[in-house]
Amino acid sequence: MGYKTYIDLIKHVIQDKEIFSTGMTQEVERCNKAIELAISGKKVAVVSSGDSGIYGMAGLVLELLQGSGVRGQGAKENNFTRITHHASHIPVSIIPGVPAFCAAAGLLGAPLMHDFASVSLSDLLTPWETIKKRLEMAAEGDFVIILYNPKSKKRVSQLKEAIDIISTHRKHNTPVGIVKDATRKDEEARVTVLGDISSHYDFIDMSTIVIIGNSTTFITDGKMITPRGYNV
Amino acid sequence: MGYKTYIDLIKHVIQDKEIFSTGMTQEVERCNKAIELAISGKKVAVVSSGDSGIYGMAGLVLELLQGSGVRGQGAKENNFTRITHHASHIPVSIIPGVPAFCAAAGLLGAPLMHDFASVSLSDLLTPWETIKKRLEMAAEGDFVIILYNPKSKKRVSQLKEAIDIISTHRKHNTPVGIVKDATRKDEEARVTVLGDISSHYDFIDMSTIVIIGNSTTFITDGKMITPRGYNV
């Protein structure tokens, strides 16, 4: 069970399996369907990209399981009917994976050797005021900052605003790493600085991770390194 | 090449390899030795636990490689002599892994469905004032907070101080997950609340990860869940 793009990425290892994939923004439907199939006795794997425990599907599956019942496809309330079968007895294992930001970091060098904060710029499910406050705090705390969902086709202004907030606390020459499609066929990593990031805005999309260094991060041989503090 | 404890954990897959392991706090020696061996023509793997890119050895290897030369074991300056051989031509791949906090999160449920900040409480290489400031900012920004290196045999006061800082911004019933030795033989996960964490201080040590929920995190069926914001 998974978002179509992710299912396609692993199709070579699930050829003999029953597959159920849906489009983006159908997360609730997808997880409900997974639970329904599990109740019917099947072993179900819900696939996320990166680590399912980081902005992934793990939480939604657990949230949907915890209610008094499970909502299945059908009618009425949000296009779902209530299935009365209590589902909390279904055992769930969350299998940790390699998060997208770790795959990105490895391509950039070693930007995450010190304390870091991750902020998703998607305001579909989170008020923009909350996101701005977090950017402010992360910047003031001198965290290495990871930006998830920096930009989409419809959502373009948030990245510039985020960079403006961070720039009030960081120098223009702060290293910035930009990685698109980490570990996928067309992966591409760029290292730049905060003052020049706007020239990469066209490159940045929803499958891009942006990592902004802290006050000690430096660039050497094209690699972005945040020192841990060893005397070298 | 690695810290002895980690080498022991993977000895079944490296039986036919040349192995060089050292004790804790010998990180610089270990990475220099790895570089020395690489210069001599060997293919060397430096092993970290979790993801080598997160508080791991990736940065130190790159830092040691970037200088004008590489320091090898011998004499003088910090017990090392300079090897004049320029080492920056040695290709390095950072292989991303499953970070300890992701393994911990999976055992707890889904605490990392929303923005999070990671802070190491070890003040061996970082001033305590910097760490306190970050805890303050992470707490005020309502980040899910991951605490690395919460306590060691010699370093016990930092955890209590960190919890005090966080508690000024979070309710006493904020869910807290505590995971020791995630994915190892004796792994143990506990879910508690901020107001009761002191009763678990004896359990917490250097191989423990502590995850403190944000203002929306809840506990259900013993699982810790931070909602992503879907309408469920």
Side-chain angles (χ1 to χ4, degrees):
Chain A
M1 183 80 48
Y3 171 43
K4 195 175 174 312
T5 306
Y6 306 153
I7 291 293
D8 287 347
L9 283 168
I10 59 166
K11 60 178 178 233
H12 55 288
V13 293
I14 53 172
Q15 277 164 351
D16 58 338
K17 306 295 179 197
E18 218 177 308
I19 296 169
F20 186 90
S21 67
T22 60
M24 192 105 98
T25 75
Q26 292 177 275
E27 292 85 358
V28 176
E29 291 84 337
R30 212 184 295 141
C31 292
N32 265 321
K33 181 74 181 171
I35 292 168
E36 224 183 276
L37 290 168
I39 288 173
S40 79
K42 292 194 187 279
K43 264 181 117 164
V44 186
V46 178
V47 175
S48 287
S49 67
D51 181 347
S52 68
I54 292 188
Y55 305 117
M57 289 296 104
L60 190 51
V61 169
L62 294 179
E63 276 192 82
L64 290 169
L65 272 174
Q66 51 121 358
S68 61
V70 175
R71 294 176 297 186
Q73 289 187 308
K76 286 179 187 167
E77 196 187 330
N78 297 328
N79 283 331
F80 293 103
T81 46
R82 289 224 161 246
I83 294 174
T84 50
H85 192 117
H86 188 71
S88 68
H89 68 281
I90 297 175
V92 180
S93 298
I94 316 288
I95 315 291
V98 176
F101 77 89
C102 290
L107 292 174
L108 294 169
L112 302 174
M113 288 295 108
H114 221 299
D115 303 330
F116 55 90
S118 172
V119 180
S120 167
L121 297 191
S122 171
D123 57 355
L124 291 177
L125 301 172
T126 307
W128 181 238
E129 289 306 313
T130 303
I131 297 169
K132 281 201 294 187
K133 167 86 172 176
R134 286 185 181 152
L135 291 166
E136 186 74 41
M137 295 297 102
E140 197 180 329
D142 199 26
F143 283 96
V144 177
I145 300 175
I146 301 153
L147 300 181
Y148 263 85
N149 307 313
K151 209 175 118 213
S152 73
K153 278 176 192 161
K154 289 182 187 163
R155 201 171 45 70
V156 295
S157 66
Q158 284 84 350
L159 177 59
K160 186 184 175 310
E161 208 174 327
I163 295 299
D164 286 347
I165 291 169
I166 295 166
S167 297
T168 62
H169 296 276
R170 306 257 159 115
K171 290 182 181 165
H172 286 324
N173 65 354
T174 302
V176 173
I178 307 170
V179 181
K180 192 190 280 191
D181 290 325
T183 75
R184 295 187 193 160
K185 191 166 51 71
D186 297 319
E187 70 176 13
E188 185 175 342
R190 297 181 178 186
V191 175
T192 180
V193 294
L194 200 54
D196 285 339
I197 189 174
S198 61
S199 60
H200 300 273
Y201 280 171
D202 285 348
F203 173 70
I204 295 170
D205 64 11
M206 276 299 272
S207 62
T208 307
I209 297 271
V210 177
I211 300 181
I212 296 146
N214 71 14
S215 60
T216 68
T217 306
F218 62 95
I219 299 171
T220 182
D221 282 336
K223 295 288 182 193
M224 183 175 169
I225 304 175
T226 303
R228 181 81 184 92
Y230 293 107
N231 184 18
V232 293
Chain B
M1 183 82 45
Y3 171 43
K4 194 174 176 308
T5 307
Y6 305 154
I7 291 293
D8 287 346
L9 284 168
I10 57 165
K11 59 177 179 233
H12 56 288
V13 293
I14 53 172
Q15 276 166 352
D16 58 336
K17 306 295 179 197
E18 217 177 309
I19 297 168
F20 187 90
S21 67
T22 59
M24 191 105 98
T25 74
Q26 293 178 273
E27 291 85 359
V28 177
E29 290 86 336
R30 213 185 293 142
C31 292
N32 266 319
K33 181 75 182 170
I35 291 168
E36 225 181 274
L37 290 168
I39 290 173
S40 79
K42 293 194 187 277
K43 263 181 115 163
V44 186
V46 179
V47 175
S48 286
S49 67
D51 181 347
S52 67
I54 292 189
Y55 304 118
M57 291 295 105
L60 190 51
V61 168
L62 293 179
E63 275 191 82
L64 290 168
L65 272 174
Q66 53 125 354
S68 61
V70 175
R71 295 175 294 188
Q73 291 188 308
K76 287 182 186 164
E77 196 188 331
N78 297 327
N79 283 330
F80 293 103
T81 47
R82 290 227 160 240
I83 295 176
T84 51
H85 193 115
H86 188 72
S88 68
H89 68 281
I90 296 176
V92 180
S93 298
I94 316 288
I95 314 290
V98 176
F101 76 89
C102 290
L107 293 174
L108 294 169
L112 302 174
M113 288 295 108
H114 220 299
D115 303 330
F116 54 90
S118 173
V119 181
S120 166
L121 297 191
S122 172
D123 58 355
L124 291 176
L125 301 172
T126 306
W128 181 237
E129 289 305 315
T130 302
I131 298 170
K132 281 201 294 187
K133 168 86 172 175
R134 286 182 182 155
L135 291 167
E136 187 74 39
M137 295 297 101
E140 198 180 329
D142 200 25
F143 283 96
V144 177
I145 300 175
I146 301 153
L147 300 180
Y148 263 83
N149 308 314
K151 211 176 115 208
S152 72
K153 277 176 193 161
K154 287 181 188 163
R155 201 171 44 70
V156 295
S157 67
Q158 285 84 350
L159 177 59
K160 187 185 174 310
E161 209 175 326
I163 295 298
D164 286 347
I165 291 169
I166 294 166
S167 298
T168 62
H169 296 275
R170 305 257 161 115
K171 290 182 181 163
H172 286 326
N173 64 355
T174 302
V176 173
I178 307 170
V179 181
K180 192 189 280 191
D181 290 325
T183 75
R184 295 186 193 160
K185 192 166 51 74
D186 298 319
E187 71 176 11
E188 186 175 342
R190 297 181 179 186
V191 175
T192 181
V193 293
L194 201 53
D196 284 340
I197 190 175
S198 61
S199 60
H200 300 273
Y201 279 170
D202 285 349
F203 173 69
I204 295 169
D205 64 11
M206 276 299 273
S207 63
T208 308
I209 297 272
V210 177
I211 300 181
I212 296 147
N214 72 13
S215 60
T216 68
T217 306
F218 62 95
I219 299 171
T220 182
D221 282 336
K223 295 289 182 192
M224 184 174 167
I225 303 174
T226 303
R228 181 82 184 91
Y230 292 106
N231 184 18
V232 294

